[in-house]
Amino acid sequence: NILCSENCKRININNNNKKWKKTEKGKQYARLYQKKFHRLRIKDRKKAGVCVECEKQLPFYYSKLRCKECLEKNNIRSKKIREQRKKQKICVSCGNKEIINPNQKESLCKKCYFYKAAKRVFGSNAKKYSIVLEKQFQKQNGICPYTGIKLKLADNASVDHTLSRFKYPKEIKNINNIIWVDRRFNEMKRELTMEEFVSYIENILIIFKNKAK
């Protein structure tokens, strides 16, 4: 049997099948089904209102998937993994060796960087919007359209809303309202629209010219 039981949906390869288990196809098959049944097990336990790890009954008002004890263990475990990956100079999120900027505090691969950026900007559906952000970056050829500065991921690249998300909250998830700009420019612009920001700079220039005279 591939499943160890009807209740526990994990892969259980028999001892007679050790040769098959060692083959590359066997490893791929095992990994694929372990992931699949792990998701199913989490789904079933979530419906039952129990902790997805220890199956301890959770209070009805509790919104998280794990109990407090399992959350603490999980946080400690994930911190150790992140520290190990940081020392090895690989992506702290997925373990990918191809990281963007090794000098950053949190070393990330390109995929995880766009995912985190999408989560920060859009909130929900980060996986979907990470592809949108990557396409937008490629469309701009990695150049800030306002300053002409070459953008580097995990360095000076920053996502800007052309229409401020504070003044136009409905435009937050509008794909056409998103643009990659230089971080320093974005910090100066903040919640202003481009027209307001330009007029603000023009006023500063006029004052400086008058002082120079």
Side-chain angles (χ1 to χ4, degrees):
N1 294 329
I2 294 297
L3 304 183
C4 57
S5 70
E6 288 180 5
N7 299 324
C8 184
K9 296 173 180 178
R10 286 181 293 182
I11 292 294
N12 183 23
I13 297 165
N14 295 330
N15 294 327
N16 301 331
N17 239 343
K18 277 182 182 177
K19 287 181 181 178
W20 178 82
K21 187 182 175 182
K22 286 178 182 178
T23 61
E24 197 59 41
K25 279 188 179 181
K27 286 176 185 177
Q28 286 175 4
Y29 179 84
R31 279 197 296 270
L32 178 73
Y33 277 86
Q34 275 171 352
K35 282 180 183 178
K36 183 184 175 182
F37 292 126
H38 179 65
R39 286 194 203 106
L40 286 169
R41 190 166 71 248
I42 287 172
K43 198 177 177 182
D44 292 342
R45 288 178 180 178
K46 192 180 174 182
K47 278 183 183 178
V50 296
C51 173
V52 294
E53 284 190 22
C54 66
E55 292 188 79
K56 185 181 174 182
Q57 189 66 44
L58 299 171
F60 69 93
Y61 55 82
Y62 200 74
S63 59
K64 291 175 182 177
L65 299 175
R66 293 174 178 84
C67 62
K68 287 180 182 178
E69 291 81 9
C70 289
L71 270 173
E72 283 176 17
K73 285 178 187 176
N74 200 39
N75 289 336
I76 292 162
R77 188 167 62 245
S78 61
K79 274 182 184 178
K80 282 182 181 177
I81 291 165
R82 288 174 86 85
E83 282 170 11
Q84 284 172 2
R85 286 174 176 174
K86 199 175 178 181
K87 285 177 184 176
Q88 292 168 0
K89 291 187 177 181
I90 59 175
C91 178
V92 293
S93 291
C94 67
N96 193 338
K97 290 179 182 178
E98 294 176 10
I99 56 171
I100 301 165
N101 192 349
N103 299 321
Q104 283 290 318
K105 287 181 181 179
E106 198 176 45
S107 52
L108 295 166
C109 65
K110 196 179 271 189
K111 190 180 178 182
C112 291
Y113 175 81
F114 283 118
Y115 180 83
K116 282 211 165 190
K119 201 172 183 180
R120 190 171 59 252
V121 175
F122 298 103
S124 58
N125 292 330
K127 197 173 182 180
K128 174 192 166 184
Y129 286 113
S130 64
I131 299 160
V132 172
L133 288 180
E134 191 173 356
K135 282 181 179 177
Q136 181 63 34
F137 190 82
Q138 288 168 358
K139 191 181 176 182
Q140 291 178 219
N141 295 319
I143 294 166
C144 175
Y146 301 127
T147 59
I149 295 168
K150 183 77 178 171
L151 300 175
K152 291 179 182 177
L153 297 172
D155 186 17
N156 68 335
S158 177
V159 179
D160 178 46
H161 291 83
T162 47
L163 293 173
S164 171
R165 57 182 177 178
F166 298 106
K167 292 180 181 178
Y168 305 92
K170 289 180 181 179
E171 298 294 321
I172 289 172
K173 293 193 176 183
N174 185 0
I175 297 161
N176 300 319
N177 192 37
I178 295 296
I179 198 162
W180 284 93
V181 297
D182 180 54
R183 190 181 295 279
R184 286 170 295 180
F185 170 84
N186 204 7
E187 284 169 359
M188 287 188 286
K189 181 178 171 284
R190 293 184 70 81
E191 74 277 357
L192 299 171
T193 61
M194 198 57 208
E195 290 77 16
E196 288 169 343
F197 182 67
V198 169
S199 66
Y200 193 74
I201 290 169
E202 282 173 353
N203 291 334
I204 293 167
L205 284 168
I206 290 162
I207 291 163
F208 266 91
K209 281 178 183 177
N210 292 333
K211 280 185 178 180
K213 288 176 183 178

